[in-house]
Amino acid sequence: MVKICCIGAGYVGGPTMAVIALKCPEIEVAVVDISVSRITAWNTDAHPIYEPGLDEVVKKCRGKNLFFSTDVEKHVSETDIVFVSVKTPTKTQGLGAGKAADLTYWESAAPMIADVSKSNKIVVEKSTVLVKTAEAIEKILNHNSKGIDFQILSNPEFLAEGTEIKDLFNPDRSHSKLAANAFLPQRISSVNAMSALCEATGADVSQVSHAVGKDARIGPKFLNASVGFGGSCFQKDILNLIYICECNGLPEVANYWKQVIKINDYQKTRFVNQIVSLMFNTVSGKKIAILGFALKDTGDTRETPAIDVCKGLLGYKARLSIYDPQVNEEQIQRDLAMNKFDWDHPIHLQPTSPTSIKQVNIPSFIFDGWNVVDEGKLRAIGFIVYPIGKPLDQWLKDMPPLA
Ligand SMILES: NC(=O)c1ccc[n+]([C@@H]2O[C@H](COP(=O)([O-])OP(=O)(O)OC[C@H]3O[C@@H](n4cnc5c(N)ncnc54)[C@H](O)[C@@H]3O)[C@@H](O)[C@H]2O)c1
Ligand SMILES: O=c1ccn([C@@H]2O[C@H](COP(=O)(O)OP(=O)(O)O[C@H]3O[C@H](CO)[C@@H](O)[C@H](O)[C@H]3O)[C@@H](O)[C@H]2O)c(=O)[nH]1
């Protein structure tokens, strides 16, 4: 039986391997991780990741041809193909801190693979890394005295959280990863910039997106205005791209991509400032309910825009009542206490000091950062609604000029 093993049982490794196990019952799939709590959770019915459709896939294969284990070295030594799907977060210290990708986890996996291997292996690079990383890893792996041959394949992952199982059943393509993760958020920053102009001129950003997306050269996808893009990839990958541009003597190109992040930060700040302005220029002591904290239809809070929005409101001394059915209170407190870029590093490096989180309340103002609520229905039953990029309530229009 052909054996494959994936190092890293996270958002990519776990679901990807589960789908491979489902589609290839003749292959034995092991998913290994140094995190005992993650592996323990994969081996129960309370998986560490919430993704629509994931539980069913795991249930069908686990214990048959899909195994989750902390015995990393044993499984790597026995396998024919090793997938590496460890994190590549933004560096928090040293050269390139705040921009460059931290390859610590990748670099620790490579010598271990070389050490424990007794037979030739194919090593598949799933993590998001630079194009030449495969060549560097190949040198580390093939510089062994055992005569073992390693072939390195670059196979970046393109799945999106919230639709992982769907994306894995119908994969798009597998090349040019970093460029794609710059172009996609560039579209979002473009439409979010338009949303500010729409609000200033009384236009509706969803109509602008619809009309622009009708141009076949532009296309309709990824043109939804929002409170800003989030997620564990876009910002870190653009920052890495910026760093590469700077290292290659291209400051103008670096500045161009920096603007995508600046507009994203501006949109989050703008949303917070609108809340403050529209609530009579102060939210101090006011109770604000935040419905939904994680990204999209997931329990993943890594770099969720809700963190910056909540931190902004806390800075104005608002009292927050946060609720998300997929995120527990401890996680929310940790997220709000954490410094930028700490969230994707091991838990012992993350601060634990809690902030004050209260219970959920029903608000009379709704600030909809994603244009998901039906503002007409809510207005009809008495709510004052502020949707992104749309004409304001008459009540809000009559307010004194904004700060
Ligand atoms: N999350 C996404 O939607 C997504 C999509 C496409 C690509 N990516 C890329 O895939 C990579 C993984 O992302 P993720 O979201 O799955 O990360 P993750 O943090 O959820 O999972 C990585 C796992 O690797 C484990 N790990 C780290 N070092 C290890 C080692 N030496 N041995 C064994 N296990 C180790 C960690 O404990 C962790 O559980 C990143 O490069 C990311 O940019 C992520
Ligand atoms: O029109 C849009 C589309 C998305 N978003 C936001 O953008 C962020 C990212 O969304 P999405 O791309 O759907 O999720 P990710 O899981 O971050 O997936 C991205 O990042 C992954 C990691 O690299 C890649 O594999 C995927 O192809 C890429 O889409 C989220 O905050 C969305 O709410 C918008 O604001 N407007």
Side-chain angles (χ1 to χ4, degrees):
M1 197 179 207
V2 171
K3 288 185 177 179
I4 68 174
C5 170
C6 178
I7 303 176
Y11 287 85
V12 170
T16 307
M17 292 301 120
V19 169
I20 290 181
L22 182 77
K23 294 278 180 188
C24 313
E26 69 287 0
I27 292 179
E28 188 180 300
V29 182
V31 193
V32 295
D33 204 296
I34 44 176
S35 165
V36 176
S37 59
R38 262 209 170 158
I39 291 299
T40 307
W42 278 116
N43 282 320
T44 67
D45 285 338
H47 300 146
I49 290 165
Y50 171 73
E51 272 293 327
L54 175 66
D55 291 359
E56 291 77 9
V57 175
V58 174
K59 208 176 267 176
K60 280 185 188 152
C61 313
R62 195 179 58 206
K64 292 180 188 144
N65 67 329
L66 175 66
F67 303 92
F68 294 93
S69 170
T70 50
D71 201 342
V72 180
E73 296 188 0
K74 172 181 171 284
H75 286 282
V76 170
S77 74
E78 289 172 356
T79 197
D80 301 290
I81 305 176
V82 191
F83 288 79
V84 185
S85 185
V86 296
K87 52 182 78 184
T88 48
T90 304
K91 278 178 91 169
T92 50
Q93 48 194 344
L95 201 62
K99 286 185 207 149
D102 187 343
L103 294 181
T104 310
Y105 308 100
W106 230 110
E107 283 167 359
S108 71
M112 182 275 294
I113 298 171
D115 280 352
V116 303
S117 293
K118 297 185 191 74
S119 54
N120 297 345
K121 292 194 195 315
I122 295 170
V123 177
V124 184
E125 195 183 79
K126 269 277 166 215
S127 301
T128 303
V129 286
L130 287 179
V131 273
K132 292 206 171 144
T133 307
E135 285 171 26
I137 298 296
E138 187 163 32
K139 281 196 186 110
I140 299 177
L141 289 174
N142 283 322
H143 188 75
N144 65 77
S145 51
K146 302 183 205 165
I148 296 173
D149 183 44
F150 292 98
Q151 287 182 40
I152 321 296
L153 297 184
S154 179
N155 178 224
E157 183 51 64
F158 285 84
L159 58 75
E161 288 182 28
T163 52
E164 288 201 4
I165 300 300
K166 195 170 133 261
D167 294 349
L168 286 163
F169 282 157
N170 299 292
D172 199 348
R173 79 273 181 232
S174 57
H175 48 274
S176 300
K177 174 77 184 178
L178 222 50
N181 271 10
F183 277 54
L184 289 167
Q186 181 210 39
R187 273 173 84 91
I188 301 171
S189 278
S190 298
V191 77
N192 282 343
M194 280 296 170
S195 78
L197 188 59
C198 284
E199 285 174 33
T201 56
D204 182 335
V205 74
S206 53
Q207 288 178 5
V208 175
S209 296
H210 179 75
V212 168
K214 285 283 176 199
D215 186 324
R217 294 167 301 177
I218 296 171
K221 293 182 182 169
F222 257 70
L223 286 179
N224 292 321
S226 64
V227 66
F229 60 78
S232 62
C233 294
F234 282 167
Q235 176 162 295
K236 97 172 155 65
D237 290 347
I238 298 182
L239 286 171
N240 196 17
L241 185 70
I242 291 168
Y243 181 68
I244 297 160
C245 293
E246 286 172 350
C247 290
N248 281 284
L250 300 168
E252 290 81 4
V253 183
N255 284 338
Y256 173 78
W257 290 113
K258 264 183 205 166
Q259 204 57 32
V260 173
I261 293 179
K262 278 191 187 164
I263 287 288
N264 202 45
D265 289 338
Y266 164 74
Q267 187 76 343
K268 288 181 273 190
T269 306
R270 199 171 75 79
F271 190 65
V272 171
N273 289 344
Q274 286 284 51
I275 296 173
V276 177
S277 300
L278 296 175
M279 293 191 78
F280 313 104
N281 266 338
T282 178
V283 288
S284 177
K286 289 180 184 163
K287 239 187 191 181
I288 299 177
I290 312 283
L291 306 179
F293 190 76
L295 274 145
K296 303 189 287 176
D297 192 11
T298 76
D300 188 5
T301 61
R302 297 178 300 174
E303 203 72 31
T304 164
I307 294 175
D308 285 335
V309 169
C310 290
K311 280 185 170 175
L313 291 171
L314 288 170
Y316 284 113
K317 300 196 167 39
R319 292 163 63 204
L320 303 185
S321 301
I322 304 171
Y323 178 70
D324 189 314
Q326 300 298 339
V327 189
N328 63 35
E329 188 173 336
E330 193 199 339
Q331 182 64 48
I332 291 174
Q333 286 176 348
R334 219 184 10 246
D335 286 334
L336 292 177
M338 231 176 305
N339 294 323
K340 215 168 166 54
F341 307 128
D342 277 345
W343 51 271
D344 212 9
H345 288 268
I347 207 120
H348 66 274
L349 297 177
Q350 298 174 8
T352 49
S353 66
T355 54
S356 51
I357 313 290
K358 309 259 172 16
Q359 295 304 303
V360 171
N361 244 328
I362 302 298
S364 56
F365 286 78
I366 293 187
F367 298 91
D368 181 9
W370 306 99
N371 286 343
V372 289
V373 301
D374 185 330
E375 70 258 34
K377 276 190 186 160
L378 286 164
R379 280 172 184 155
I381 55 170
F383 284 96
I384 293 155
V385 188
Y386 166 73
I388 283 274
K390 296 197 179 188
L392 293 179
D393 273 23
Q394 192 54 48
W395 191 89
L396 294 173
K397 277 192 197 153
D398 295 338
M399 292 274 290
L402 304 179

